[in-house]
């Protein structure tokens, strides 16, 4: 089928990861008291961003290789 | 009353963005839906990593995420039996032994396989009971979601019902099964990304696995069990009185591990439909096996938060509380969402709640797609309108989706009004489901089994399940239609409701097996060997050894998963 799921999947998690990373950088550290002092938005957001970018890269590579 | 959890602007933005993507995928797939086989079967064209994750996700509905957290709190690591004993072996069996007949027979649904293998009445019985069941399951998902959102976030019940139902309706009507499958994959990653931080933070908070063990020892001894009961999965299974499940290893292995688990994973069209959408026989066989890899690891993200929660409650650590249920006991069904609120800051909290909503909705979508297929192919096309054009059935599929969703909404309101009727219906469904695996086992591996045998086997199996339930009682329960003993006499008392449930399934399975064999031997085979080719093991030519690398061989992959599951069982024994 001519529809690569990795494209929307990559896009969604790039957006989610990006939003959380940015929020992690600008948010008040006090809100991380409940997450035991870890800035989980920044850390986990970066993981999601990386996952999203890898999915996008795979989708785009597949698209380029298709005649 | 203030609501326990508040979402902020970023949380709502994440929620909104997710649902835009869900509908967007449906919209993008719309132009691929040209005929009924695209709508109902995804044109058998989906790559295996997608069908594999969707196979797993279709089962990751409300019961899974919420229920496994609750069980983690109530039973500890023993909950992992529902995965490592109650799912993985059946998933491997489906892939290696049963998929060749489902996929190879060109049946479009599980009931249709029964029609090809047995006869019309067996198909009709299965199709009608399955269609009714999917509607009720989908409605109960919807009800559970809406009441959860009302309780925790203060959302309006009616608003939650209609918005969720509309989104599900939207993406299925647009893209059919493909749309449901693609969104299930999205939901799989949402669950992983939304819940993994919860397990990690929870474990850090209680001092890792070692710290959790120490704290849960207190929980176990307080309830009168050995100290390791919550953190060792097998050592306390010798007697039903040694563990909170109230089950011993034999009842667990046979009832859950064999009858219930194989009955669900190997015959439920809801999950089998995902594998049938794969793009080749090999991919269809690998679908449940690929799903087994993440399934094996899921206990760590869905059960661990429940275990941490009960440790926190015991030690009054970190101010964690659980709302009480109507009878004054902690409401364990709220463990997972309350833990989300306890540990996750704004941002990740939105992600966690989106994952939770997504899992309810994909549970509903799975039921709706299975319903529209069985309704259109096995009921409408078979009994009401055979020989219409393909576009007519496509139209009927979309119409069935709309009706399925509207009926689900009706069921959700009914569940809100009459909770007891819902529990009763679920009990009846359990009776109907319990014997099914015997029918399929005989159908696929014994060529002499015939239509009369299958039909009466199923009927007697269901009656046996009901009769067993009616004659037994879990210890300490009053006689009643829900608990058992309603046939007037109690011939056996089980140590727990779960033990009663496992043995009900075993009796149903045994009765169905015996009657199917008996009736089949007493009446003649109605199908010729030629008709049964591709449907029965001994009459199907073995596929030539395909020249596939080892990582694409279903048997090799299956053995790897089984070995890894064995190791996990030993580590946490």
């Amino acid at each position: 089928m001519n529809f690569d799921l990795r494209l929307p999947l990559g896009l969604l998690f790039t957006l989610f990861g990006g939003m959380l990373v940015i929020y992690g950088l600008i948010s008040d550290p006090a809100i991380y008291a409940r997450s035991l002092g870890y800035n989980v938005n920044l850390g986990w957001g970066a993981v999601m961003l990386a996952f999203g970018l890898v999915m996008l890269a795979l989708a785009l590579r597949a698209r380029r290789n298709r005649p | 009353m203030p609501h326990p959890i508040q979402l902020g602007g970023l949380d709502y933005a994440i929620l909104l963005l997710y649902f835009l993507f869900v509908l967007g995928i449906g919209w993008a797939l719309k132009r691929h839906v040209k005929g009924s086989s695209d709508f109902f079967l995804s044109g058998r064209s989906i790559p295996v990593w997608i069908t594999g994750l969707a196979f797993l996700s279709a089962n990751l509905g409300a019961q899974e995420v919420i229920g496994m957290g609750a069980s983690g709190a109530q039973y500890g690591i023993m909950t992992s039996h529902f995965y490592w004993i109650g799912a993985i072996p059946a998933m491997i069996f489906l892939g290696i032994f049963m998929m060749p007949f489902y996929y190879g027979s060109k049946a479009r649904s599980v009931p249709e396989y029964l029609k090809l293998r047995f006869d019309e009445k067996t198909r009709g019985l299965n199709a009608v009971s399955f269609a009714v069941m999917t509607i009720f399951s989908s409605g109960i998902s919807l009800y559970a979601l809406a009441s959860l959102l009302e309780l925790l976030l203060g959302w309006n019940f009616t608003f939650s019902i209609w918005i969720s139902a509309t989104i599900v309706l939207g993406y299925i009507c647009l893209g059919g099964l493909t749309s449901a499958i693609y969104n299930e994959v999205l939901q799989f990653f949402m669950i992983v990304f939304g819940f993994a931080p919860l397990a990690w933070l929870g474990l850090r908070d209680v001092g890792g696995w070692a710290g959790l063990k120490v704290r849960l020892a207190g929980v176990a001894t307080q309830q009168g069990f050995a100290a390791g009961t919550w953190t060792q999965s097998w050592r306390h299974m010798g007697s039903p009185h040694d563990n909170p499940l109230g089950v011993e290893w034999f009842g667990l292995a046979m009832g859950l591990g064999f009858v219930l688990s194989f009955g669900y994973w190997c015959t439920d069209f809801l999950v089998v439909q995902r594998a049938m959408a794969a793009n080749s026989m090999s991919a269809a066989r690998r679908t449940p096996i690929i799903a087994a890899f993440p399934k094996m690891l899921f206990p760590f993200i869905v059960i661990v938060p429940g275990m941490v929660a009960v440790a926190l409650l015991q030690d009054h650590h970190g101010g964690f509380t659980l709302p009480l249920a109507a009878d004054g006991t902690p409401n364990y069904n709220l463990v997972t969402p309350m833990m989300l609120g306890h540990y996750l800051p704004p941002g990740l909290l939105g992600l966690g709640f989106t994952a939770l909503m997504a899992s309810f909705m994909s549970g509903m979508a799975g039921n709706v797609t299975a319903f529209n297929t069985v309704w259109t192919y096995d009921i409408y096309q078979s009994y009401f309108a055979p020989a219409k054009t393909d576009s007519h059935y496509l139209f009927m599929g979309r119409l069935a989706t709309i009706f399925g969703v509207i009926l689900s909404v009706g069921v959700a309101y009914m569940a809100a009004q009459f909770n007891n009727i819902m529990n009763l219906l679920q009990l009846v469904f359990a009776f109907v489901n319990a014997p099914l695996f015997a029918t399929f086992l005989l159908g696929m591996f014994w060529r002499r089994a015939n239509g009369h045998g299958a039909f009466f086997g199923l009927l007697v199996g269901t009656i046996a399940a009901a009769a067993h339930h009616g004659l037994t009682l879990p210890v300490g329960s009053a006689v009643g239609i829900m608990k058992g003993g309603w046939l007037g006499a109690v011939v056996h008392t089980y140590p727990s409701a779960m033990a009663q449930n496992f043995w009900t399934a075993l009796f149903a399975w045994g009765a169905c097996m015996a009657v199917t064999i008996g009736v089949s031997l007493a009446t003649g085979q109605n199908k010729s060997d030629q008709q049964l080719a591709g449907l029965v093991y001994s009459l199907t030519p073995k596929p030539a050894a395909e020249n596939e690398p080892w990582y694409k061989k279903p048997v090799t992959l299956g053995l790897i998963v089984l070995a890894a599951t064995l190791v996990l069982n030993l580590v946490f024994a």
Side-chain angles (χ1 to χ4, degrees):
Chain A
M1 178 177 299
N2 184 20
F3 180 96
D4 192 343
L5 180 60
R6 289 173 297 188
L7 201 63
L9 195 61
L11 207 58
L12 182 67
F13 280 95
T14 303
L15 285 172
F16 278 166
M19 282 159 76
L20 289 179
V21 165
I22 293 169
Y23 186 67
L25 290 173
I26 59 169
S27 54
D28 175 4
I31 63 168
Y32 299 110
R34 58 168 113 154
S35 55
L36 316 174
Y38 296 101
N39 187 338
V40 279
N41 279 336
L42 183 60
W44 198 241
V47 173
M48 288 168 61
L49 183 62
F51 171 77
L53 289 174
V54 168
M55 282 289 147
L56 275 184
L58 289 173
L60 293 178
R61 198 186 61 174
R63 179 172 278 204
R64 202 163 351 108
N65 290 347
R66 200 183 298 141
Chain B
M1 190 187 98
H3 299 289
I5 295 170
Q6 266 94 35
L7 296 186
L10 180 63
D11 301 322
Y12 281 110
I14 289 175
L15 198 66
L16 205 65
L17 189 62
Y18 179 76
F19 290 121
L20 280 179
F21 262 77
V22 163
L23 287 172
I25 287 181
W27 183 254
L29 288 169
K30 188 170 173 266
R31 63 197 169 89
H32 293 288
V33 181
K34 297 194 180 75
S36 75
S37 90
D38 296 324
F39 189 80
F40 296 118
L41 310 169
S42 298
R44 294 198 160 180
S45 63
I46 308 228
V48 68
W49 70 275
I50 294 182
T51 53
L53 293 180
F55 184 91
L56 179 61
S57 237
N59 161 260
L60 255 184
Q63 297 85 340
E64 193 76 4
V65 179
I66 298 286
M68 289 300 153
S71 301
Q74 288 170 286
Y75 313 125
I77 195 71
M78 278 181 200
T79 309
S80 67
H81 292 317
F82 288 93
Y83 291 75
W84 299 338
I85 297 299
I88 305 285
M91 292 164 82
I92 309 292
F93 186 83
L94 170 67
I96 294 180
F97 294 106
M98 294 179 71
M99 264 337 279
F101 306 112
Y102 282 136
Y103 196 87
S105 70
K106 299 287 169 207
R108 298 167 302 181
S109 67
V110 166
E112 191 164 69
Y113 172 83
L114 287 177
K115 145 104 177 153
L116 296 172
R117 172 62 186 84
F118 294 115
D119 57 9
E120 192 61 63
K121 60 179 180 296
T122 310
R123 181 248 283 267
L125 179 67
N126 184 246
V128 172
S129 62
F130 181 78
V132 174
M133 238 177 303
T134 49
I135 291 299
F136 276 96
S137 315
S138 140
I140 289 169
S141 257
L142 202 53
Y143 162 71
L145 171 66
S147 42
L148 193 76
L149 293 178
E150 186 178 33
L151 189 68
L152 295 177
L153 303 175
W155 287 18
N156 179 288
F157 185 82
T158 297
F159 170 79
S160 302
I161 295 243
W162 284 102
I163 194 86
S164 324
T166 309
I167 292 173
V168 170
L169 176 68
Y171 74 76
I172 298 179
C173 261
L174 287 166
L177 179 64
T178 316
S179 192
I181 286 181
Y182 281 16
N183 279 315
E184 279 157 6
V185 174
L186 225 56
Q187 179 238 338
F188 168 81
F189 287 105
M190 286 302 292
I191 294 270
V192 171
F193 281 111
F195 285 74
L198 186 63
W200 184 76
L201 286 169
L203 274 181
R204 287 225 77 124
D205 195 19
V206 296
W209 181 251
L212 185 62
K213 257 176 152 164
V214 174
R215 288 170 191 266
L216 287 177
V219 174
T221 47
Q222 201 186 36
Q223 296 189 29
F225 295 110
T229 314
W230 257 251
T231 46
Q232 297 168 328
S233 62
W234 281 107
R235 267 171 239 177
H236 308 280
M237 296 301 294
S239 150
H241 305 289
D242 292 347
N243 62 68
L245 289 177
V247 181
E248 84 298 343
W249 64 272
F250 183 78
L252 179 90
M254 295 307 290
L256 173 68
F258 183 56
V259 176
L260 286 174
S261 149
F262 281 71
Y264 172 73
W265 290 100
C266 301
T267 72
D268 196 310
F269 183 51
L270 172 63
V271 286
V272 174
Q273 188 177 28
R274 271 72 199 152
M276 288 167 85
N279 56 15
S280 69
M281 168 68 95
S282 161
R285 294 182 67 194
R286 272 179 286 139
T287 294
I289 300 172
I290 283 174
F293 281 94
K295 181 79 183 171
M296 180 171 77
L297 299 174
F298 251 80
F300 297 110
I301 64 171
V302 295
I303 298 176
V304 166
M307 293 170 67
V308 171
V310 75
L312 297 183
L313 282 176
Q314 165 89 2
D315 295 353
H316 306 288
H317 181 84
F320 179 74
T321 53
L322 261 188
L324 298 182
D327 59 357
T329 55
N331 188 348
Y332 287 113
N333 281 328
L334 298 177
V335 156
T336 301
M338 287 301 286
M339 287 287 277
L340 286 175
H342 184 67
Y343 283 122
L344 300 186
L348 271 193
L349 182 62
L351 193 76
F353 257 86
T354 306
L356 202 61
M357 282 187 73
S359 81
F360 278 98
M361 286 167 54
S362 84
M364 181 182 170
N367 277 302
V368 172
T369 47
F371 167 79
N372 65 23
T373 309
V374 167
W375 163 261
T376 307
Y377 282 155
D378 290 302
I379 300 176
Y380 182 74
Q381 187 179 32
S382 304
Y383 303 119
F384 295 104
K388 292 273 172 113
T389 60
D390 188 68
S391 62
H392 177 81
Y393 294 122
L394 174 59
F395 166 76
M396 181 40 78
R398 291 203 157 110
L399 204 62
T401 307
I402 297 174
F403 272 99
V405 168
I406 290 176
L407 287 172
S408 307
V409 169
V411 169
Y413 277 104
M414 210 164 101
Q417 291 287 316
F418 312 104
N419 224 321
N420 291 331
I421 298 184
M422 287 297 140
N423 291 336
L424 188 66
L425 278 168
Q426 280 174 313
L427 191 68
V428 173
F429 294 156
F431 297 159
V432 174
N433 273 344
L436 262 180
F437 183 60
T439 307
F440 282 86
L441 203 58
L442 289 171
M444 286 179 177
F445 299 100
W446 189 46
R447 63 199 256 195
R448 200 46 196 78
N450 67 17
H452 295 315
F455 182 78
F456 289 106
L458 281 176
L459 276 187
V460 174
T462 301
I463 293 168
H468 177 268
H469 184 262
L471 290 170
T472 60
L473 202 62
V475 70
S477 304
V479 169
I481 194 84
M482 288 309 302
K483 300 285 184 192
W486 43 268
L487 276 178
V490 175
V491 296
H492 186 75
T493 310
Y494 284 105
S496 68
M498 201 175 292
Q500 182 195 30
N501 179 14
F502 290 171
W503 283 99
T504 298
L506 271 168
F507 272 92
W509 184 84
C512 177
M513 196 84 183
V515 170
T516 308
I517 293 175
V519 174
S520 294
L521 289 176
T523 53
Q525 178 56 277
N526 54 334
K527 304 246 181 190
S528 67
D529 282 2
Q530 220 165 3
Q531 285 173 305
L532 292 178
L535 301 167
V536 182
Y537 185 78
S538 61
L539 298 174
T540 304
K542 305 292 160 292
E546 292 163 62
N547 285 325
E548 288 180 316
W550 64 270
Y551 58 86
K552 285 190 172 176
K553 285 193 168 58
V555 177
T556 314
L557 287 174
L559 289 175
I560 293 173
V561 185
L562 282 181
T565 308
L566 185 66
V567 170
L568 282 172
N569 269 302
L570 292 175
V571 168
F572 290 94

